[in-house]
Amino acid sequence: MKSLAVFILFSLLASFSHSIELDFCVGDLSLPRGPGGYACKDPANVTTDDFVYTGFRGEKPTTNIFKNHLTLAFSNAYPALNGLGVSLARLDFAVGGVIPVHSHRTSEILILAKGTIIAGFIDTNNTAYYKKLEVGDVMIFPQAMLHFQVNVGKIPALAFVALNSANPGLQITTSSLFDGNLPTELAEQITLLSHQEVMRMKTLFGTH
């Protein structure tokens, strides 16, 4: 028992020491991503610009089917996040725009910067937790829960989110069902939608 306790303590200390072994590990996008992220860029080639992300600047088009625009600052777009366990995104909504039901491998925290939205998530008991948010409000979406945002105001809305992974993933439910290679027959069976409705959705998403 004593040896087990010593082993656990040693493992914890080792993990803590690993987290501060390097000052940073800017991802080298020229190399394949592994389970722990990207390999580190040679520090001799790292500059201040590596730590600055400018992708959130300016107006964003919101002309897609959902009247939104997602700007993702994940590690593949912002390599300085590599290994830090955090990522960011900007959410732009036209009037009536939505971020449809989706999920990540991680938790998410949202702060509303402009407009009025309804945001919420659905837990595994099918209970929906949702609320109208005003500017400055913050909401948390727990790990892997289906969640969504809807602009219910009279002006465009803007929100920023942070996620506790450098590569949290993004799976939009409707896109997964109708914008991929899932056969029409299977889509009908697992959604209980009619053939006509499934074909309509596939046409909307450009897969038919």
Side-chain angles (χ1 to χ4, degrees), residues 2-207:
K2 183 177 179 180
S3 61
L4 177 60
V6 171
F7 174 77
I8 292 173
L9 179 60
F10 178 80
S11 298
L12 286 172
L13 289 173
S15 66
F16 293 153
S17 64
H18 176 73
S19 66
I20 58 173
E21 185 175 338
L22 300 172
D23 290 335
F24 49 79
C25 180
V26 175
D28 187 342
L29 304 188
S30 69
L31 298 174
R33 174 189 280 160
Y38 291 103
C40 301
K41 186 177 180 179
D42 184 346
N45 297 324
V46 171
T47 70
T48 302
D49 287 341
D50 285 306
F51 300 98
V52 177
Y53 180 73
T54 60
F56 289 163
R57 292 180 182 178
E59 297 296 318
K60 307 297 182 183
T62 52
T63 55
N64 64 21
I65 190 172
F66 294 114
K67 299 181 180 180
N68 72 29
H69 192 279
L70 304 179
T71 308
L72 305 179
F74 294 178
S75 59
N76 60 337
Y78 191 5
L81 296 176
N82 186 54
L84 298 184
V86 65
S87 58
L88 304 165
R90 168 177 166 160
L91 315 181
D92 286 86
F93 308 77
V95 174
V98 306
I99 307 296
V101 173
H102 63 284
S103 63
H104 310 280
R105 292 186 285 264
T106 64
S107 301
E108 175 182 321
I109 185 167
L110 174 149
I111 181 168
L112 186 63
K114 176 183 176 182
T116 304
I117 67 173
I118 290 178
F121 68 91
I122 304 168
D123 72 8
T124 55
N125 294 314
N126 296 327
T127 300
Y129 299 86
Y130 58 94
K131 189 175 179 65
K132 182 185 288 187
L133 304 182
E134 305 291 345
V135 173
D137 289 348
V138 177
M139 186 168 184
I140 288 176
F141 308 95
Q143 179 176 343
M145 295 291 99
L146 294 171
H147 56 289
F148 57 88
Q149 295 90 26
V150 181
N151 183 2
V152 294
K154 296 181 179 180
I155 63 171
L158 172 65
F160 294 93
V161 301
L163 305 102
N164 59 337
S165 168
N167 181 34
L170 170 62
Q171 185 172 30
I172 297 175
T173 304
T174 44
S175 298
S176 296
L177 288 170
F178 305 113
D179 191 21
N181 64 344
L182 184 69
T184 299
E185 295 78 11
L186 283 178
E188 294 169 15
Q189 289 178 305
I190 64 177
T191 63
L192 299 181
L193 295 176
S194 68
H195 177 76
Q196 292 75 15
E197 184 61 15
V198 169
M199 295 305 294
R200 185 183 77 86
M201 294 297 288
K202 282 182 170 287
T203 299
L204 282 175
F205 285 96
T207 56

